[in-house]
Amino acid sequence: MTADPRLIIPLDLPTVDEARAMVERLGDSVSFYKIGLELLATGGMGLAGELKAQGKQVFLDWKLHDIGATVERSARVLAGAGCDLLTVHAEPQVMRSAVLARGASDLKILAVTVLTSLTDADLAEMGYAFGARDLVERRIRQAIDCGVDGVVSSPHEAALAREIAGPDFLVVTPGVRSDWSAKNDQARAATPADALRAGASHLVCGRPITAATDPREAALKVIAEMAGV
Ligand code: C5P
């Protein structure tokens, strides 16, 4: 069995050395990696270049959120790094700037609609007139209008995103847990097959694989569950 390009492994490890060792252990079972803020702050962009040189796909989870001019300049630098996916917050000014900056590069822009840690009460406290589900829907529509390539969404919102955006939009879902794996802190998890059936184009699945005694074997188990869906 070979890697499934729809499976993205987050390298949520404290150091680049540990992330590199995990990539080595996973070998050819994984072709797509996500690098998040912790690693980006400690040499993650260098690791991104190494992974690209090995022929892997790289998702830079920067979650950019700043004035348009700064987002545009930052996204232009990141587009030049030759990576595949970049996250930005789903505000129209931010999304438009990132789309402008990636230009004709291969970089795809993903919008983070509403962080899944935010409840309706949190949003009200922040001054939003919408609850989480309504705000997610509004921001999916704005993401499409801004020319963004896809969204990050919980498996439970994947169907909504797919229904609104149609077949070509990227819908990347974290919160993926097989029946055999611990849920950790993912309160609203879905199995790999259910997330794909709901409309996900890509799955982000971390600790069930990276914290397993044999990460490669765990990755192959998840890939087997994705097969045919
Ligand atoms: O280990 P686990 O599978 O829970 O990792 C999920 C990854 O997806 C982590 O990198 C986490 O930060 C990220 N993520 C998430 N939920 C979101 C957005 C991102 O779990 N709503």
Side-chain angles (χ1 to χ4, degrees):
M1 193 176 298
T2 52
D4 187 322
R6 298 173 299 173
L7 177 63
I8 303 175
I9 307 298
L11 291 169
D12 293 326
L13 294 153
T15 66
V16 166
D17 282 347
E18 285 163 271
R20 209 180 270 130
M22 179 56 64
V23 170
E24 222 161 90
R25 288 185 79 183
L26 289 166
D28 61 2
S29 67
V30 172
S31 63
F32 212 148
Y33 287 99
K34 177 170 96 67
I35 302 181
L37 287 179
E38 183 184 10
L39 217 50
L40 287 167
T42 53
M45 287 306 296
L47 178 65
E50 287 175 35
L51 292 173
K52 287 305 296 178
Q54 291 172 29
K56 307 290 188 192
Q57 288 189 276
V58 177
F59 170 179
L60 298 174
D61 198 5
W62 273 103
K63 291 191 181 72
L64 296 182
H65 189 192
D66 209 315
I67 60 169
T70 301
V71 168
E72 190 184 328
R73 286 202 308 271
S74 309
R76 192 161 282 133
V77 171
L78 294 169
C83 292
D84 302 278
L85 294 177
L86 169 68
T87 44
V88 302
H89 280 273
E91 285 178 19
Q93 190 181 88
V94 169
M95 294 190 287
R96 275 194 293 270
S97 303
V99 167
L100 183 68
R102 67 102 197 267
S105 74
D106 291 334
L107 184 68
K108 303 258 187 269
I109 306 295
L110 289 182
V112 177
T113 53
V114 177
L115 293 170
T116 48
S117 56
L118 295 176
T119 63
D120 288 352
D122 292 322
L123 291 169
E125 187 185 14
M126 291 159 72
Y128 285 96
F130 296 91
R133 189 160 176 99
D134 288 344
L135 191 55
V136 166
E137 179 169 347
R138 181 183 177 87
R139 287 183 160 177
I140 291 168
R141 294 186 193 285
Q142 289 175 332
I144 296 164
D145 288 346
C146 292
V148 154
D149 303 287
V151 289
V152 179
S153 115
S154 88
H156 297 264
E157 286 145 4
L160 176 69
R162 181 60 63 214
E163 188 192 319
I164 294 172
D168 298 328
F169 205 59
L170 300 175
V171 178
V172 178
T173 63
V176 173
R177 290 293 182 267
S178 300
D179 291 332
W180 47 266
S181 61
K183 300 285 172 285
N184 310 112
D185 46 4
Q186 295 288 4
R188 300 199 309 136
T191 65
D194 284 346
L196 290 174
R197 273 188 219 108
S201 60
H202 294 80
L203 310 180
V204 177
C205 183
R207 286 163 290 178
I209 293 170
T210 55
T213 317
D214 185 339
R216 185 184 154 81
E217 188 194 357
L220 292 175
K221 268 165 83 176
V222 172
I223 291 165
E225 290 171 48
M226 296 167 68
V229 188

